[in-house]
């Protein structure tokens, strides 16, 4: 391991985080923010965190500045894993320094702040805050930082997918090669950088468009930005206790639904559309890369199917006054969960057990590869289903070699193996963490709110693990404690924080950090 | 597909099942059974089923008798899958013909009878009967048949493992080659038959020994045999509502615990012990194959660990009067669930959430390969853990080729792949079936017994799926409905029946039946 190189790059990242923090400072002032008076605690808390980040980052940079080595596979992995952890640590400082209270009179402790910060950077959107709208509990400028971590994390993932994640296991590289129709195909280094830049520009462009549309519909710039961050990063942090339900449906909700859908789509498809600029051809020709993409079709198909099933379930149980409202909520929640955004309009805990189970399953599907969405990703499901067919056929035709095709393109056989490994690994991590969480959290918490029937604990723990591992955010949580992560114990919060990192970085970049052989100099 | 060959062999099996049924007839008479008067309905119900089985079997045999083809891979798979289904169908007839009542005044329907019969043959031990002890509801001779299906199914699995299952995917063949230290190593056909015979003899011998010990401790021959069938096949059907709890602890319980442990062990280890007959060497030398076997060590280790954790949890929650009782119940339940037997001494639904979650996890581990136990099997877990390490290492050392070793013996790389496929497939089947079951079963059933908190439905459905897919039997079932499968709907029961078959035959022999290409003549 090239430690000096690591120090230099992590130092650079630390300074970047400090710089990004300073964009939250204006919101402490009445003219820019939502506040009447200057937010003293919030402002100085942010300033302290900025200084801290710059000092830490600067020191690391100075230590490693002489190093000019190139980033090899090991270093790349270490920078991804440690970089996300460092960002999370630094990002938690504003919450601590500004004395943010997770409930009236309960200041956030270290585990709380780390949970909230890493939940932001990993675009999970799970929160320990129980009251979002009171500037005394959470200063508006720190709240802005909280939402901004989503956007930074989302950008990181989009760029990272091109630069690093696609070169790891789980078939990433091959997936990318297949899906990015442009420069990456030749796979030379400058081209990777070019692709990353284009992706970054698309991300910024779509974000700007959404913010503009939201402002045009009467939202304050503050609310428009914060909800754009939550949407485009598929993060899900809102500035309101009622989340997107605050806006009461209508065009604002429709705008957010549409951009959630865009955020869960493979960004390279947008690039492909942009490149098809042949004069005299219609819009259908332009959109061909999208509707011909098997992953996008499956993504839309699952959303439509889930919306239908949810609508049926909602109409049958008759929770809503009419079918129109049921359809609206069904579509919103399907897209919010499937894209792993986690915005809410309705408390789905009152929905039927089947509806809740379906949402729990959707959590694992997730968005498309190359999007900001989390979860296992649609394309892996497509490959998994095909791979399973091949494996079953192998039981009676052991000597026939089959090649899986996706959208007509043959896939390398190692992808099949990698995808199956990824599936089993996700489920293994899910089950183990579920059990550990159930062991850590005392039963008493569930019994208190639910009489002697404490059955919901196991389910709540399962949903908390699923919602963090897949970077969704809100869990099913039938009972009080899990509607919000506030009441989980500190060790429980740290475990869930680790799961957010594991899910966001597609397991490997975090798992390797626990292997001694990874750190040994070869 | 060689249909005539299939008909001939299935016909033979049908006649065997009919013949086996006749062994239940004596128990309808007062001198042999537990009854005061001749059980008319039970007797004639059995006779009808025997005639039916002989006619069906005979017809199939006559149809295919001219065929002298050899059993190829496809035919072997079809015979395993269809054979278990045929046995289940024929085995359900006594329940129907004898008018067995699953509750007072509620006769079993076709789904009930099929569920009970396949639960028996697959050694699952899940039951739809709510009252076992009343001969008017369940004639003693039919009850004997119910327990006897376990023993037949267990024998089938032991022989099958050697003859067929070990040649399928999921690394079976290689596992066997590694583990059966004797004749199979050379892997020529007569040797396979020899091994199967030896395994069969060990199964019969251990069963006889247990029955003798139980009779010596004062059990009636009827009870001794029925509980021996339940133990050695890791089945779990009892003749008492309180299951093994009926015997109130003591040496009977200890005997059953000991034989459950033996039934969950790889039977080839016993063969290896029998073969080490060198004079002048001590018992340790004799037992070397056992304590050197990595799977057996892990099997014992998991049981000891689980017993300790359960004891801790039970002592902390203080359900039992003293630690001794807690230890006893903890050991019994650990072994009963881990070996997938499913006998009970205590209602574990009153245990802590953590304890229940731990039992749910143990369900998936299961016994050793080559035992009568179900579940994923210990050895697959050992390989899975090692395989995952290799996969993670591949993320930073993509070009290093590693070979997994188990007990010092290198494993073929395809085993690694097969085991990971098996894991992902089991979890995939588990999750899909869970969702379908939750959709099929109406919420109302859970609401009725539990007020408005219907959260336990998802958990109960999960435990029902886990308990059938892993051939355990009793589910976690916090609420009434799942303590027993009686209240599930007919489609739900059929789904669970399919899961028992899938689990028992290690997925592939059932999954191929659903593939059109399997049936096409090549
Ligand atoms: K999210
Ligand atoms: K069983």
């Amino acid at each position: 391991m090239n430690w000096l190189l690591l120090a230099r790059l992590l130092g650079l990242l630390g300074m970047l985080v400090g710089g990004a923090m300073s964009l939250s400072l204006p919101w402490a002032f009445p003219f820019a923010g939502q506040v009447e008076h200057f937010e003293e605690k919030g402002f100085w808390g942010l300033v302290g965190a900025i200084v801290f980040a710059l000092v830490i980052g600067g020191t690391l940079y100075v230590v490693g500045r002489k190093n000019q080595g190139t980033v090899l596979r090991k270093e790349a992995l270490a920078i991804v894993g440690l970089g996300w952890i460092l960002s999370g640590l630094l990002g938690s400082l504003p919450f601590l320094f500004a004395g943010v209270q997770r409930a009236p009179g309960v200041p956030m402790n270290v585990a709380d702040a780390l949970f909230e910060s890493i939940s932001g950077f990993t675009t999970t959107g799970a929160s320990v805050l129980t009251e979002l709208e009171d500037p005394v509990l959470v200063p508006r400028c720190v709240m802005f930082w909280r939402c901004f971590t989503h956007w930074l994390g989302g950008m990181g993932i989009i760029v990272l997918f091109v630069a690093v994640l696609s070169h790891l296991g789980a078939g990433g590289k091959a997936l990318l090669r297949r899906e990015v129709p442009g420069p990456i195909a030749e796979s030379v280094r400058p081209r990777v950088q070019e692709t990353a830049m284009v992706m970054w520009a698309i991300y910024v462009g779509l974000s700007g468009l959404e913010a503009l549309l939201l402002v045009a519909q009467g939202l304050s710039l503050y609310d428009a930005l914060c909800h754009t961050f939550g949407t485009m990063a598929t993060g899900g942090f809102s500035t309101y206790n009622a989340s997107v339900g605050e806006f009461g449906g209508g065009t604002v909700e429709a705008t957010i639904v549409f951009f959630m859908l865009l955020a869960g789509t493979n960004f390279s498809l947008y690039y492909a559309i942009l490149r098809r600029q042949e004069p005299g051809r219609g819009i259908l020709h332009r959109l061909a890369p999208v509707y011909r993409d098997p992953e996008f079709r499956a993504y839309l198909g699952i959303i439509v199917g889930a919306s239908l099933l949810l609508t049926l379930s909602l109409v049958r149980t008759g929770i809503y006054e009419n079918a129109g409202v049921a359809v609206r909520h069904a579509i919103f929640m399907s897209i919010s969960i499937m894209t792993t955004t986690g915005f809410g309009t309705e408390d789905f805990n009152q929905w039927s057990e089947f509806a809740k189970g379906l949402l729990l399953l959707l959590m694992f599907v997730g968005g498309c590869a190359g999007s900001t969405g989390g979860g296992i990703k649609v394309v892996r499901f497509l490959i998994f289903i095909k791979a399973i067919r091949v494996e079953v056929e192998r039981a009676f035709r052991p000597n026939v070699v089959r090649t899986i095709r996706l959208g007509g393109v043959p896939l390398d056989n190692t992808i099949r193996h990698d995808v199956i490994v990824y599936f089993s690994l996700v489920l293994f991590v899910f089950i183990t963490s579920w059990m550990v969480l159930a062991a850590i959290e005392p039963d008493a918490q569930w019994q208190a709110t639910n009489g002697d029937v404490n059955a919901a604990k196991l389910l709540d723990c399962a949903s908390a693990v699923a919602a963090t591992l897949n970077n969704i955010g809100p869990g099913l949580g039938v009972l009080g404690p899990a509607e919000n992560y506030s009441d989980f114990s500190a060790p429980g919060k740290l475990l869930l924080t680790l799961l957010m990192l594991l899910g966001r970085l597609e397991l490997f970049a975090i798992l390797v950090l626990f292997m001694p052989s990874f750190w040994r100099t070869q």
Side-chain angles (χ1 to χ4, degrees), chain A residues 123-124 234-235 340-341 471-472:
Chain A
T123 78
T124 305
T234 66
T340 74
T341 308
N471 304 119
I472 314 286

Side-chain angles (χ1 to χ4, degrees), chain A residues 53-84:
Chain A
L54 293 177
V55 168
I56 292 276
T59 309
L60 280 172
Y61 186 78
V62 168
V63 166
R65 77 183 181 288
K66 292 245 176 73
N67 188 285
Q68 295 299 332
T70 50
V71 180
L72 299 176
R73 181 178 280 262
K74 261 192 178 185
E75 282 76 22
L77 271 167
I79 288 160
V80 171
L82 295 178
W84 238 269

